[in-house]
């Protein structure tokens, strides 16, 4: 019997690390808690202490073992001892920083292959901020802020490729990134746009249903009903006309199915009078 794919968990950045650490706790429990082992990949960060900080965060949550793999060069991705770690862990957490550090150091390496293979085998993979952007096949490398989609407003690059169903943007409300997510979706309206506020995560299960965890909102841009796009006709910095997009704003406990495109409110909100 085939093993189910592991969860894919993009986090919008700035997740709580003191007090109510709901997102990190949920990921630790998903991986198995005291019986699990989690690897941290701090490559996106320029700060040397990032890996050790997440090791402590996860061990304080009761995780059996947490180990950082401080990949700093492409050659590190061929290290047999680190590849052996990826073969034994229950989950991997990619920290924030610069997503191009992830794509340029890890893309096309044995570590990238191991992450995709192990996720298909059931290992859970989470990423926060830059780590979240890197999870999907089409990664937002950088772009301009603002609420309106504009031609050439965003630059895409190949990501890790755990899924091709979504394009992820992070720090969403805090950095006014609706326009660049809309632009990214307009380039090819196959993928669903997901904008994650800070301290907000999407737990995407093997059944393709995501659940929102955290204190902020998750914005869904669903292009399945797109009737018209002017993307191919506009010049640089021109506004892009998009007709027929569907937008959902989801909060804690809300769900969205990536295949059926059906959104449902969280049970706590739905039952309020």
């Amino acid at each position: 019997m085939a093993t189910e794919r592991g969860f894919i968990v993009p986090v919008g950045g700035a997740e709580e690390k003191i007090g109510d650490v709901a997102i990190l706790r949920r990921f630790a429990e998903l991986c198995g808690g005291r019986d699990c082992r989690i690897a941290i990949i701090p490559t996106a960060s320029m700060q040397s202490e990032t890996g050790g900080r997440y090791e402590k965060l996860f061990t304080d949550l009761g995780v059996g073992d947490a180990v950082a793999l401080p990949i700093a060069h492409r050659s590190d991705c061929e290290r047999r001892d680190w590849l052996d770690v990826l073969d034994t862990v229950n989950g991997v957490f990619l920290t924030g920083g610069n997503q191009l550090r992830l794509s340029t150091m890890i893309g096309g390496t044995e570590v990238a292959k191991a992450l995709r293979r192990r996720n298909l085998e059931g290992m859970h993979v989470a990423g926060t901020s830059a780590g979240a952007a890197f999870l999907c096949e089409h990664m937002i490398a950088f772009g301009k802020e603002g609420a309106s989609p504009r031609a050439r407003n965003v630059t895409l690059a190949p990501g890790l490729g755990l899924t091709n169903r979504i394009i992820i943007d992070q720090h969403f409300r805090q950095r006014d990134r609706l326009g660049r997510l809309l632009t990214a979706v307009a380039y090819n309206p196959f993928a669903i746009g997901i904008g994650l506020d800070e301290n907000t995560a999407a737990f995407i299960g093997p059944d393709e249903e995501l659940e929102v965890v955290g204190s902020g909102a998750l914005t869904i841009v669903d292009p399945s009903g797109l009737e018209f796009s002017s993307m191919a006709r506009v010049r640089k910095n021109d506004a892009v006309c998009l007709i027929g997009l569907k937008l959902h704003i989801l909060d804690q406990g809300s769900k969205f199915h990536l295949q059926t495109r059906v959104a449902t409110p969280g049970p706590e909100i739905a039952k309020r009078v």
Side-chain angles (χ1 to χ4, degrees):
M1 184 176 178
T3 303
E4 285 191 332
R5 167 181 71 71
F7 274 69
I8 300 168
V9 186
V11 185
E15 69 281 356
E16 287 291 341
K17 301 176 181 69
I18 300 173
D20 182 20
V21 292
I23 294 170
L24 295 178
R25 179 179 293 107
R26 175 75 172 269
F27 183 67
E29 292 171 351
L30 181 67
C31 292
R34 294 185 181 279
D35 299 322
C36 82
R37 192 182 193 203
I38 293 176
I40 298 109
I41 297 180
T43 303
S45 175
M46 295 290 288
Q47 300 176 356
S48 59
E49 68 272 15
T50 298
R53 185 182 187 193
Y54 276 93
E55 284 180 337
K56 186 176 187 308
L57 284 167
F58 282 119
T59 53
D60 286 349
L61 285 169
V63 166
D65 185 31
V67 55
L69 306 180
I71 297 165
H73 307 280
R74 286 185 65 83
S75 58
D76 291 335
C77 295
E78 313 302 320
R79 284 181 53 164
R80 187 67 259 169
D81 55 338
W82 286 359
L83 292 169
D84 288 343
V85 169
L86 294 178
D87 277 337
T88 62
V89 295
N90 307 95
V92 170
F93 190 93
L94 293 93
T95 73
N98 181 342
Q99 51 263 49
L100 284 174
R101 283 177 58 84
L102 287 166
S103 62
T104 57
M105 288 192 199
I106 295 177
T109 67
E110 291 302 313
V111 163
K113 294 174 186 176
L115 291 172
R116 289 193 294 269
R117 172 177 54 81
R118 293 283 288 116
N119 182 243
L120 286 173
E121 294 171 352
M123 182 187 76
H124 310 300
V125 182
T128 184
S129 188
F134 180 58
L135 295 178
C136 46
E137 182 173 309
H138 303 289
M139 178 185 82
I140 293 180
F142 50 85
K144 297 179 181 178
E145 298 176 350
S148 301
R150 293 187 175 274
R152 305 185 195 176
N153 204 29
V154 65
T155 297
L156 299 177
L160 180 58
L162 298 185
T163 174
N164 66 356
R165 286 188 179 274
I166 57 177
I167 296 176
I168 296 166
D169 211 343
Q170 70 285 354
H171 302 283
F172 197 64
R173 176 179 58 83
Q174 289 78 10
R175 300 186 187 179
D176 192 19
R177 288 179 166 172
L178 177 61
R180 77 178 198 174
L181 182 61
L182 289 168
T183 303
V185 170
Y187 283 152
N188 186 342
F190 167 77
I192 298 166
I194 295 181
L196 290 154
D197 289 355
E198 293 178 357
N199 194 38
T200 308
F203 280 72
I204 306 171
D207 60 355
E208 301 294 350
E209 184 172 68
L210 71 78
E211 180 181 353
V212 181
V213 176
S215 62
L218 183 151
T219 300
I220 296 282
V221 177
D222 178 6
S224 59
L226 186 66
E227 300 167 15
F228 175 81
S229 170
S230 67
M231 177 58 82
R233 311 176 191 190
V234 292
R235 295 166 297 185
K236 184 178 180 180
N237 297 323
D238 283 352
V240 179
C241 177
L242 300 168
I243 297 174
L245 289 173
K246 184 180 287 186
L247 191 73
H248 301 290
I249 309 297
L250 308 179
D251 64 352
Q252 167 72 30
S254 298
K255 296 182 179 181
F256 180 80
H257 200 286
L258 297 175
Q259 186 169 0
T260 65
R261 313 289 179 103
V262 173
T264 54
E268 292 301 316
I269 291 292
K271 70 183 183 182
R272 286 183 187 172
V273 177

